[in-house]
PDB file of all heavy atoms in Angstrom:
ATOM      1  N   MET L  13       4.386  32.445 -42.893  1.00 86.00           N
ATOM      2  CA  MET L  13       4.190  32.407 -41.449  1.00 86.00           C
ATOM      3  C   MET L  13       3.472  33.662 -41.074  1.00 86.00           C
ATOM      4  O   MET L  13       3.694  34.756 -41.730  1.00 86.00           O
ATOM      5  CB  MET L  13       5.506  32.278 -40.729  1.00 86.00           C
ATOM      6  CG  MET L  13       6.274  31.080 -41.075  1.00 86.00           C
ATOM      7  SD  MET L  13       7.922  30.957 -40.254  1.00 86.00           S
ATOM      8  CE  MET L  13       7.320  30.444 -38.668  1.00 86.00           C
ATOM      9  N   SER L  14       2.725  33.604 -39.940  1.00 85.00           N
ATOM     10  CA  SER L  14       2.016  34.849 -39.299  1.00 85.00           C
ATOM     11  C   SER L  14       2.635  35.052 -38.052  1.00 85.00           C
ATOM     12  O   SER L  14       3.053  34.124 -37.288  1.00 85.00           O
ATOM     13  CB  SER L  14       0.559  34.720 -39.422  1.00 85.00           C
ATOM     14  OG  SER L  14       0.095  33.711 -38.421  1.00 85.00           O
ATOM     15  N   PHE L  15       2.662  36.385 -37.716  1.00 86.00           N
ATOM     16  CA  PHE L  15       3.239  36.836 -36.357  1.00 86.00           C
ATOM     17  C   PHE L  15       2.348  37.764 -35.698  1.00 86.00           C
ATOM     18  O   PHE L  15       1.497  38.420 -36.315  1.00 86.00           O
ATOM     19  CB  PHE L  15       4.612  37.504 -36.650  1.00 86.00           C
ATOM     20  CG  PHE L  15       5.566  36.565 -37.384  1.00 86.00           C
ATOM     21  CD1 PHE L  15       5.764  36.712 -38.770  1.00 86.00           C
ATOM     22  CD2 PHE L  15       6.227  35.645 -36.615  1.00 86.00           C
ATOM     23  CE1 PHE L  15       6.698  35.870 -39.438  1.00 86.00           C
ATOM     24  CE2 PHE L  15       7.156  34.800 -37.321  1.00 86.00           C
ATOM     25  CZ  PHE L  15       7.323  34.922 -38.714  1.00 86.00           C
ATOM     26  N   SER L  16       2.438  37.759 -34.401  1.00 87.00           N
ATOM     27  CA  SER L  16       1.606  38.702 -33.531  1.00 87.00           C
ATOM     28  C   SER L  16       1.992  40.199 -33.740  1.00 87.00           C
ATOM     29  O   SER L  16       1.227  41.116 -33.595  1.00 87.00           O
ATOM     30  CB  SER L  16       1.701  38.326 -32.117  1.00 87.00           C
ATOM     31  OG  SER L  16       1.181  36.903 -31.864  1.00 87.00           O
ATOM     32  N   PHE L  17       3.254  40.320 -34.163  1.00 89.00           N
ATOM     33  CA  PHE L  17       3.871  41.657 -34.295  1.00 89.00           C
ATOM     34  C   PHE L  17       4.723  41.687 -35.502  1.00 89.00           C
ATOM     35  O   PHE L  17       5.180  40.704 -35.961  1.00 89.00           O
ATOM     36  CB  PHE L  17       4.808  42.084 -33.065  1.00 89.00           C
ATOM     37  CG  PHE L  17       3.931  41.976 -31.784  1.00 89.00           C
ATOM     38  CD1 PHE L  17       3.942  40.945 -30.957  1.00 89.00           C
ATOM     39  CD2 PHE L  17       3.159  43.141 -31.431  1.00 89.00           C
ATOM     40  CE1 PHE L  17       3.150  40.912 -29.798  1.00 89.00           C
ATOM     41  CE2 PHE L  17       2.379  43.096 -30.251  1.00 89.00           C
ATOM     42  CZ  PHE L  17       2.419  41.936 -29.448  1.00 89.00           C
ATOM     43  N   VAL L  18       4.951  42.859 -36.057  1.00 89.00           N
ATOM     44  CA  VAL L  18       5.626  42.987 -37.365  1.00 89.00           C
ATOM     45  C   VAL L  18       7.030  42.506 -37.124  1.00 89.00           C
ATOM     46  O   VAL L  18       7.795  42.987 -36.254  1.00 89.00           O
ATOM     47  CB  VAL L  18       5.673  44.443 -37.857  1.00 89.00           C
ATOM     48  CG1 VAL L  18       6.452  44.653 -39.147  1.00 89.00           C
ATOM     49  CG2 VAL L  18       4.173  44.887 -38.102  1.00 89.00           C
ATOM     50  N   PRO L  19       7.689  41.669 -38.026  1.00 92.00           N
ATOM     51  CA  PRO L  19       9.002  41.264 -37.928  1.00 92.00           C
ATOM     52  C   PRO L  19       9.952  42.462 -38.245  1.00 92.00           C
ATOM     53  O   PRO L  19       9.537  43.385 -38.883  1.00 92.00           O
ATOM     54  CB  PRO L  19       9.182  40.194 -39.053  1.00 92.00           C
ATOM     55  CG  PRO L  19       7.765  39.726 -39.346  1.00 92.00           C
ATOM     56  CD  PRO L  19       6.872  40.928 -39.028  1.00 92.00           C
ATOM     57  N   ASN L  20      11.133  42.324 -37.576  1.00 91.00           N
ATOM     58  CA  ASN L  20      12.212  43.419 -37.785  1.00 91.00           C
ATOM     59  C   ASN L  20      13.382  42.876 -38.381  1.00 91.00           C
ATOM     60  O   ASN L  20      13.783  41.694 -38.073  1.00 91.00           O
ATOM     61  CB  ASN L  20      12.498  44.039 -36.389  1.00 91.00           C
ATOM     62  CG  ASN L  20      11.418  44.710 -35.677  1.00 91.00           C
ATOM     63  OD1 ASN L  20      10.750  45.502 -36.261  1.00 91.00           O
ATOM     64  ND2 ASN L  20      11.145  44.380 -34.456  1.00 91.00           N
ATOM     65  N   VAL L  21      13.898  43.707 -39.331  1.00 91.00           N
ATOM     66  CA  VAL L  21      15.281  43.291 -39.924  1.00 91.00           C
ATOM     67  C   VAL L  21      16.359  43.831 -38.965  1.00 91.00           C
ATOM     68  O   VAL L  21      16.312  44.993 -38.604  1.00 91.00           O
ATOM     69  CB  VAL L  21      15.371  43.941 -41.317  1.00 91.00           C
ATOM     70  CG1 VAL L  21      16.743  43.643 -41.776  1.00 91.00           C
ATOM     71  CG2 VAL L  21      14.341  43.329 -42.293  1.00 91.00           C
ATOM     72  N   VAL L  22      17.179  43.008 -38.562  1.00 93.00           N
ATOM     73  CA  VAL L  22      18.333  43.292 -37.632  1.00 93.00           C
ATOM     74  C   VAL L  22      19.517  42.819 -38.367  1.00 93.00           C
ATOM     75  O   VAL L  22      19.814  41.616 -38.401  1.00 93.00           O
ATOM     76  CB  VAL L  22      18.216  42.678 -36.312  1.00 93.00           C
ATOM     77  CG1 VAL L  22      19.345  43.009 -35.407  1.00 93.00           C
ATOM     78  CG2 VAL L  22      16.870  43.044 -35.612  1.00 93.00           C
ATOM     79  N   GLY L  23      20.387  43.774 -38.993  1.00 93.00           N
ATOM     80  CA  GLY L  23      21.524  43.351 -39.747  1.00 93.00           C
ATOM     81  C   GLY L  23      21.035  42.479 -40.936  1.00 93.00           C
ATOM     82  O   GLY L  23      20.164  42.875 -41.760  1.00 93.00           O
ATOM     83  N   ASP L  24      21.566  41.258 -40.989  1.00 94.00           N
ATOM     84  CA  ASP L  24      21.190  40.363 -42.077  1.00 94.00           C
ATOM     85  C   ASP L  24      20.271  39.306 -41.524  1.00 94.00           C
ATOM     86  O   ASP L  24      20.047  38.188 -42.203  1.00 94.00           O
ATOM     87  CB  ASP L  24      22.410  39.661 -42.684  1.00 94.00           C
ATOM     88  CG  ASP L  24      23.158  38.778 -41.763  1.00 94.00           C
ATOM     89  OD1 ASP L  24      22.970  38.813 -40.470  1.00 94.00           O
ATOM     90  OD2 ASP L  24      24.033  37.962 -42.211  1.00 94.00           O
ATOM     91  N   ASP L  25      19.590  39.517 -40.462  1.00 94.00           N
ATOM     92  CA  ASP L  25      18.729  38.535 -39.887  1.00 94.00           C
ATOM     93  C   ASP L  25      17.332  39.191 -39.689  1.00 94.00           C
ATOM     94  O   ASP L  25      17.152  40.404 -39.873  1.00 94.00           O
ATOM     95  CB  ASP L  25      19.221  38.192 -38.408  1.00 94.00           C
ATOM     96  CG  ASP L  25      18.825  36.744 -38.137  1.00 94.00           C
ATOM     97  OD1 ASP L  25      17.749  36.168 -38.550  1.00 94.00           O
ATOM     98  OD2 ASP L  25      19.512  36.121 -37.269  1.00 94.00           O
TER      99      ASP L  25
END
Side-chain angles (χ1 to χ4, degrees):
M13 298 180 81
S14 66
F15 302 99
S16 298
F17 301 95
V18 176
N20 294 311
V21 175
V22 179
D24 66 344
D25 211 334

